[in-house]
Amino acid sequence: MKSRKSFYKNAVIKQDFRQFGWISLVYLVSLLFTLPLGLLQIASRKYVIFSDYKNYLMVNPEIQIVLYFAVPVAAGLLLFRYIQNEASVDMIHSLPIKRKTLYVSHVISGLLLLIVPIIITAIITFFVTNTIEGFSNILTISDLFSWIGIVTLLTCMMFSFSIAVGFITGMSTVQAILTYILLFLPIGMVTMVTYNLSFLLFGFTTAFIEEELMYLSPFLRFVGSWEGPQPYSILEIMIYILFTVFFFVIGLVLYKLRQLERATDVIAFPFLRPIFKYGVTFCSMILGGSYFSATGDLNWNWIIFGYIIGALIGYTVAEMVLLKTWRILRLHFFTGFIIYSVIFIAVLLGIKTDLINYEANLPRMDQIEEVYFGNKYDMQELIRNDIDPFSDNKLYIQDVRNLHEEIINQKDFIESQQHSDINKVQGFITYRLKDGKQFTREYQLPAEAFQKNLTPVMESEGYIVNKPEFFQLQREDILNMRIHPVGPGHHTNTITISDKKEIEEFRRVLEKDILSQSIEDIVSPATPWAYIDIEFKRSNNEEHFFDGYSIDWKKSYDNVTKWLDEHGYLEDDRIDVHDIKEAELTIVNPQNQAEDMFSPEEYYQTGQKHATITDKESLTTLIRHFTEYSSDHTYYVKLILKDGNEWYGSIPDKYMTDQMKEQIK
């Protein structure tokens, strides 16, 4: 009995309940308003889709996230607030109670104050759920137990984290601030570092890192958990449990090591001060570099300026915070910053000179088992749909590798074109090697300059069948296909193809056109004739959700055009030469294209010379190569339609005929 009580003191726990019992009351009332009352409010709405609420975390999720990430932090801050006050810390530790006993007693108090409201809320929520017919069949008892487990785990983890952070600092305000800074620090650091590496290292990609970012922050992971019926995996739960135990243990260790006279110090442990100072300096530096790289169009002068200013600001602020004075200009200040600068310059030069051979590295053919080339978002979509996007065709692998080799050789040219508005292709290359590893690079390739090397890759079946639109066409659950013409006005009609036989025929001709695309068709910026929206069948409990995919009806899709014509759909489903009265052509000097101009109409208005085009051959050329979304072209056009609407866009220089050029002189 004596041994058991040595771990905690009932008197300490009772005192905590008397002093901080209101925390439990506030938490309970907040949870009751959020969950059981929230369920009643939802059920009382005139229109409600009960199946939208797959779990209890989706009931007032915005309020829940505030509660779970604020109340436990506040509890940890208040229960151990005495450690941050010079008077109370001496008084408390003059009592005949060991630090370990004090720590365990306060932790038990906090856990009881936080967990009891969760259990009471769960009991009330159980009865409320069963009184609402719409929820009783959707939100089961297992969902409720899942909610109890997740919320209890998050609460305990945030409580333990707040306690551990509290022993690092000697000020309650800094404890609260540091808790949330450290909560977001991993995701912030990874995001900023990878963003900086994306322009420091040629070919560096953040694709696979982006997908995992939310797992670096419990806050963002909780936001992402609202959607699924099972918010967290078993592995995540185990990791959170380990972190919770770790924070409680590290909190006890820090409490035992903590010097009582460190109360009111910003950082209580001397060995952590350099980490804090240079950590703030580094974070501020990469933030400054990121800001000036974005606002300065990746100009190296501005990037270096951002690094210097960011590091200087961060170092100065950290020094002022640690010393609690603005009088910091002393020899130690300058020597510390100089040492940091020298180390950073050495690292930066190492990256830029590619000491690790990252940029020039290229797997040998005998090392490569499979390859993917395309768009990183397309690859991610295919993987989400359990489709292997890799190709093991040796000829295709060789073509991709040849392209990759040329990219490495043309590094300087590619980097010189990164700010231009020319048409580019995303070259996302992933090799699956025979040793099980993956080798990934990402580039933005000028389409015209690399056309020779891109052609065998992008015209191959290995590339085209890995496009999401091709995958969507293979689905057997197509409900209908709607064609929405592109262009101004409402004189065109939406065409719906719902007959099963016609859907199958149209699907086949569309698939044929997609597979037969040339490199010019694939990279062409031309505005499509229309968008083909494919709607898929839905299950009964998902009838209110739209499940579909949109595919461009490109102007090169001759089989689609022929099929629509044969079935009487062609007349009303696009704007073609027969709908155009005339066109007005102008020349826009690229150097006069103001940065604040975004619409084709604004670019068109800057033209000095104009010509009116009325002959059918020229109008046919204009509408076939017309695009709304390019700012790097010289020739801009205003199509005047027969219904009175005007349509602004541009034409690539290579499609301008001699006759049209002569007219505009």
Side-chain angles (χ1 to χ4, degrees):
M1 191 73 174
K2 181 178 179 181
S3 175
R4 180 178 63 84
K5 286 198 172 182
S6 65
F7 285 101
Y8 65 91
K9 283 286 184 181
N10 286 326
V12 175
I13 296 174
K14 290 178 182 178
Q15 177 61 29
D16 285 340
F17 271 57
R18 284 194 294 267
Q19 190 172 359
F20 303 112
W22 59 270
I23 296 176
S24 189
L25 183 61
V26 169
Y27 201 25
L28 174 61
V29 172
S30 301
L31 287 173
L32 291 176
F33 269 88
T34 302
L35 208 56
L37 191 60
L39 290 171
L40 291 171
Q41 286 180 309
I42 293 169
S44 66
R45 294 173 186 168
K46 189 173 182 180
Y47 300 104
V48 58
I49 302 171
F50 290 101
S51 58
D52 281 352
Y53 301 89
K54 298 180 178 67
N55 57 65
Y56 285 100
L57 294 176
M58 299 180 72
V59 180
N60 290 324
E62 299 85 358
I63 302 176
Q64 288 197 56
I65 194 170
V66 172
L67 291 176
Y68 308 148
F69 288 88
V71 176
V73 173
L77 191 148
L78 292 171
L79 283 166
F80 288 90
R81 192 172 184 276
Y82 66 88
I83 200 74
Q84 320 291 26
N85 185 281
E86 290 178 325
S88 60
V89 72
D90 291 334
M91 187 272 291
I92 293 293
H93 290 93
S94 65
L95 299 173
I97 305 175
K98 294 181 179 180
R99 290 194 186 187
K100 181 180 178 181
T101 304
L102 278 172
Y103 180 82
V104 173
S105 300
H106 289 309
V107 167
I108 292 173
S109 301
L111 292 176
L112 289 173
L113 289 171
L114 294 170
I115 294 175
V116 170
I118 296 173
I119 295 173
I120 295 173
T121 301
I123 294 171
I124 296 173
T125 300
F126 171 76
F127 290 108
V128 170
T129 303
N130 283 282
T131 61
I132 302 172
E133 185 178 351
F135 282 128
S136 58
N137 296 323
I138 297 173
L139 298 175
T140 63
I141 187 67
S142 62
D143 292 323
L144 187 59
F145 278 116
S146 175
W147 177 85
I148 294 172
I150 290 171
V151 172
T152 301
L153 180 56
L154 285 174
T155 299
C156 292
M157 186 175 70
M158 290 307 301
F159 177 59
S160 65
F161 185 57
S162 174
I163 292 172
V165 173
F167 293 116
I168 293 173
T169 178
M171 301 173 67
S172 297
T173 306
V174 177
Q175 177 185 352
I177 295 171
L178 272 181
T179 298
Y180 290 108
I181 288 178
L182 294 175
L183 187 64
F184 289 97
L185 185 63
I187 189 172
M189 284 282 288
V190 171
T191 302
M192 289 293 99
V193 169
T194 53
Y195 173 73
N196 280 261
L197 287 175
S198 68
F199 57 77
L200 290 173
L201 277 176
F202 182 65
F204 183 84
T205 180
T206 61
F208 299 112
I209 299 172
E210 290 172 355
E211 289 188 311
E212 307 299 328
L213 274 179
M214 71 174 181
Y215 294 100
L216 297 176
S217 171
F219 184 90
L220 294 181
R221 180 64 187 92
F222 184 81
V223 173
S225 71
W226 298 346
E227 298 297 328
Q230 185 175 355
Y232 293 88
S233 66
I234 300 298
L235 177 61
E236 287 179 286
I237 292 172
M238 293 303 298
I239 291 172
Y240 281 7
I241 291 173
L242 290 175
F243 270 123
T244 302
V245 174
F246 171 77
F247 291 139
F248 277 132
V249 172
I250 200 68
L252 177 59
V253 172
L254 291 173
Y255 191 15
K256 288 182 175 181
L257 297 176
R258 170 79 174 257
Q259 296 176 353
L260 300 182
E261 61 271 19
R262 293 298 181 183
T264 73
D265 283 2
V266 176
I267 300 296
F269 294 92
F271 75 91
L272 290 176
R273 292 179 183 179
I275 298 175
F276 172 80
K277 179 165 63 176
Y278 292 111
V280 171
T281 304
F282 179 75
C283 291
S284 180
M285 181 193 68
I286 60 172
L287 183 60
S290 301
Y291 173 79
F292 282 99
S293 70
T295 58
D297 290 330
L298 293 179
N299 182 293
W300 263 105
N301 294 327
W302 282 113
I303 293 173
I304 297 299
F305 175 78
Y307 284 146
I308 295 171
I309 291 298
L312 189 58
I313 292 174
Y315 188 82
T316 303
V317 170
E319 194 78 3
M320 287 181 177
V321 169
L322 287 173
L323 299 177
K324 293 192 283 189
T325 178
W326 59 271
R327 297 177 179 178
I328 58 172
L329 297 179
R330 59 187 71 177
L331 181 62
H332 175 73
F333 174 85
F334 294 104
T335 55
F337 187 73
I338 290 171
I339 292 171
Y340 173 85
S341 301
V342 170
I343 295 173
F344 171 71
I345 291 170
V347 173
L348 185 62
L349 288 175
I351 294 173
K352 287 305 294 176
T353 55
D354 197 22
L355 286 179
I356 60 174
N357 197 38
Y358 179 91
E359 298 175 350
N361 194 14
L362 181 63
R364 300 190 312 272
M365 271 296 294
D366 61 348
Q367 294 178 309
I368 304 171
E369 185 174 352
E370 296 174 305
V371 70
Y372 171 83
F373 176 87
N375 185 293
K376 63 181 177 182
Y377 300 112
D378 290 349
M379 182 181 184
Q380 291 167 359
E381 182 176 342
L382 290 169
I383 292 173
R384 281 194 296 269
N385 286 284
D386 298 323
I387 296 176
D388 185 4
F390 290 89
S391 171
D392 59 0
N393 183 286
K394 295 300 180 184
L395 180 60
Y396 183 64
I397 293 173
Q398 184 65 66
D399 289 334
V400 172
R401 191 183 181 280
N402 291 341
L403 170 63
H404 195 175
E405 190 172 14
E406 182 63 18
I407 291 170
I408 293 172
N409 294 334
Q410 298 294 325
K411 171 193 170 184
D412 293 338
F413 170 72
I414 295 172
E415 289 185 329
S416 69
Q417 299 296 310
Q418 60 186 344
H419 306 308
S420 67
D421 292 325
I422 60 174
N423 191 23
K424 295 188 180 75
V425 172
Q426 185 183 87
F428 183 77
I429 305 172
T430 299
Y431 302 101
R432 186 179 281 168
L433 306 181
K434 291 180 180 179
D435 62 4
K437 297 179 181 178
Q438 286 193 0
F439 182 99
T440 305
R441 296 292 186 268
E442 181 181 353
Y443 309 95
Q444 294 297 324
L445 307 176
E448 191 170 342
F450 279 83
Q451 183 169 332
K452 179 182 176 181
N453 296 93
L454 285 169
T455 298
V457 174
M458 299 183 71
E459 289 186 358
S460 71
E461 187 172 317
Y463 172 81
I464 295 175
V465 297
N466 278 324
K467 300 293 288 182
E469 55 263 32
F470 187 84
F471 155 70
Q472 296 292 342
L473 279 176
Q474 309 312 307
R475 291 179 57 170
E476 301 294 334
D477 56 343
I478 297 176
L479 183 63
N480 60 61
M481 305 173 87
R482 291 190 175 92
I483 303 174
H484 301 278
V486 177
H490 303 282
H491 66 290
T492 53
N493 300 318
T494 296
I495 305 298
T496 301
I497 302 172
S498 54
D499 180 77
K500 289 185 178 180
K501 183 181 178 182
E502 288 192 343
I503 288 175
E504 180 58 26
E505 290 178 0
F506 188 64
R507 186 191 66 79
R508 285 201 302 267
V509 296
L510 182 55
E511 180 181 312
K512 184 178 180 181
D513 276 333
I514 291 174
L515 286 171
S516 62
Q517 290 181 95
S518 67
I519 182 71
E520 290 84 0
D521 300 332
I522 295 171
V523 303
S524 172
T527 300
W529 289 128
Y531 298 112
I532 303 170
D533 288 342
I534 305 174
E535 185 176 357
F536 301 103
K537 297 175 183 177
R538 300 177 295 277
S539 57
N540 292 332
N541 61 340
E542 293 181 339
E543 288 184 350
H544 55 284
F545 291 112
F546 175 77
D547 183 12
Y549 194 86
S550 183
I551 299 176
D552 289 353
W553 169 17
K554 294 185 178 180
K555 291 168 182 174
S556 60
Y557 288 179
D558 295 331
N559 291 303
V560 169
T561 303
K562 181 182 177 182
W563 188 91
L564 290 170
D565 187 25
E566 291 174 350
H567 289 75
Y569 294 128
L570 191 61
E571 183 178 352
D572 297 324
D573 60 5
R574 66 173 180 172
I575 296 177
D576 63 7
V577 67
H578 302 294
D579 299 298
I580 303 172
K581 179 182 178 183
E582 61 184 23
E584 291 185 5
L585 199 61
T586 186
I587 297 179
V588 174
N589 192 335
Q591 64 192 23
N592 292 330
Q593 294 179 358
E595 292 184 0
D596 59 348
M597 293 182 182
F598 298 102
S599 72
E601 183 176 358
E602 289 178 301
Y603 284 121
Y604 177 86
Q605 300 300 338
T606 65
Q608 300 298 318
K609 297 178 181 180
H610 293 78
T612 301
I613 308 295
T614 56
D615 66 284
K616 187 175 181 181
E617 183 179 349
S618 296
L619 290 176
T620 301
T621 301
L622 289 175
I623 189 62
R624 187 165 186 85
H625 302 292
F626 176 90
T627 177
E628 295 179 283
Y629 307 108
S630 182
S631 59
D632 67 311
H633 295 160
T634 304
Y635 295 93
Y636 277 75
V637 63
K638 176 172 69 174
L639 300 178
I640 302 173
L641 306 183
K642 291 179 180 179
D643 65 359
N645 282 293
E646 296 177 347
W647 198 6
Y648 292 87
S650 62
I651 306 295
D653 295 8
K654 64 180 179 180
Y655 297 117
M656 287 290 295
T657 64
D658 293 337
Q659 179 184 348
M660 289 189 288
K661 291 179 180 179
E662 189 66 30
Q663 283 183 262
I664 204 170
K665 282 186 177 178

